[in-house]
């Protein structure tokens, strides 16, 4: 049994399957100009939960992405474009790696076929704005002085 596990692990290691251990280790790479823009699904697709669902992928010139799916609610996952095993991929913040394959004017991505549109849906634009306006994770949170808070002042006066 141990021999089988060791052989399987060796086969995977030698197969050239590279993995990205965490989101921070993925190197954001500016994509080719043909990939940059707003991509959107048209009509029903097998990769979506409903025939009424819409998938969007926003790719910036710097390599930032937003995978936005909407049906009964909006699910937006930020990510970044990088090169992995000689192909362009999108790595989202949940470390899900999905190839970006451009074929003619269509983008094949995560079991979807997307076409370029002039602008994202208003829901995806709102999600993008929310992400861009959110405080950065590495920024230190501001801590208010407890003594300046009215309730804290009352507590200090009572004691």
């Amino acid at each position: 049994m141990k021999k089988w596990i060791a052989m399987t692990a060796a086969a995977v290691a030698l197969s050239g399957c590279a993995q990205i251990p965490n989101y921070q280790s993925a190197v954001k790479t500016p994509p080719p100009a043909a990939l940059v823009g707003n991509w959107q699904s048209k009509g029903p697709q097998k990769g979506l939960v409903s025939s009424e669902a819409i998938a969007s992928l926003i790719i910036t010139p710097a390599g930032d992405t937003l995978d936005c799916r909407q049906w009964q609610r909006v699910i937006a996952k930020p990510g970044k474009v990088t090169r992995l095993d000689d192909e362009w991929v999108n790595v989202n913040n949940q470390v899900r790696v999905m190839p970006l394959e451009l074929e003619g004017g269509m983008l094949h991505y995560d079991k979807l076929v997307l076409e370029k549109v002039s602008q994202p849906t208003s829901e995806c634009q709102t999600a993008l704005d929310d992400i861009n306006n959110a405080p950065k994770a590495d920024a230190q949170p501001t801590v208010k002085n407890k003594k300046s808070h009215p309730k804290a002042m009352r507590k200090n006066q009572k004691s």
Side-chain angles (χ1 to χ4, degrees), residues 30-102:
L35 285 177
V36 174
N38 302 302
W39 297 89
Q40 189 172 329
S41 62
K42 295 291 182 201
Q45 296 194 23
K46 289 182 181 179
L48 295 172
V49 69
S50 166
S51 61
E52 298 169 10
I54 300 172
S56 299
L57 181 64
I58 301 168
I59 303 175
T60 68
D64 294 300
T65 66
L66 182 68
D67 185 338
C68 183
R69 314 285 173 102
Q70 53 191 104
W71 179 41
Q72 295 178 341
R73 63 186 175 125
V74 175
I75 299 172
K77 297 177 186 172
K80 50 187 158 183
V81 174
T82 192
R83 292 284 290 174
L84 186 61
D85 293 338
D86 290 328
E87 71 177 344
W88 292 101
V89 298
N90 180 44
V91 181
N92 71 17
N93 62 353
Q94 296 174 333
V95 196
R96 186 156 179 244
V97 179
M98 294 151 290
L100 297 165
E101 298 171 2
L102 195 55

Side-chain angles (χ1 to χ4, degrees), residues 5-18:
I5 293 172
M7 287 176 50
T8 302
V12 169
L14 295 173
S15 69
C17 296

